[in-house]
Amino acid sequence: MTLKTTLKLTAAAASLAILAGCASTGALEDVRMTAESAQADAAEARSIATQAQNTANQAQRDARAAMQMSEQNRDEMNRMFQRSMQK
């Protein structure tokens, strides 16, 4: 179950419990704890996603640098080949 689904179900459960008028203090406490847990899970997921994005951005920068170096090496090899063919 995704985090978004969990949050929706938690909100729905809390609403039903309150609207039904039969929610005891213990039930409300359970709903509150579930909501807090869902919020903590969402914060952790957001943190992990941010770290993943940062890692992906760094990998992309590294790949671009590697491509640039590869192109420079290819150009240098072509120049060396051209010089050797002129001799």
Side-chain angles (χ1 to χ4, degrees):
M1 197 178 325
T2 66
L3 181 60
K4 197 172 192 178
T5 303
T6 304
L7 290 174
K8 286 180 182 179
L9 290 175
T10 301
S15 296
L16 287 175
I18 292 171
L19 291 175
C22 62
S24 66
T25 303
L28 287 176
E29 183 65 20
D30 287 345
V31 169
R32 185 186 63 75
M33 289 179 66
T34 302
E36 288 175 356
S37 176
Q39 286 178 330
D41 289 345
E44 182 181 4
R46 185 178 297 117
S47 174
I48 291 169
T50 299
Q51 290 174 346
Q53 183 66 49
N54 291 339
T55 300
N57 289 341
Q58 182 61 47
Q60 188 173 29
R61 285 190 296 271
D62 291 348
R64 285 183 180 149
M67 178 66 86
Q68 184 179 14
M69 187 177 291
S70 173
E71 290 172 357
Q72 289 172 350
N73 288 339
R74 183 191 65 216
D75 292 344
E76 180 62 25
M77 292 298 289
N78 284 336
R79 284 192 297 274
M80 288 172 57
F81 178 73
Q82 292 297 326
R83 280 186 253 149
S84 71
M85 295 304 287
Q86 289 176 356
K87 292 183 180 183

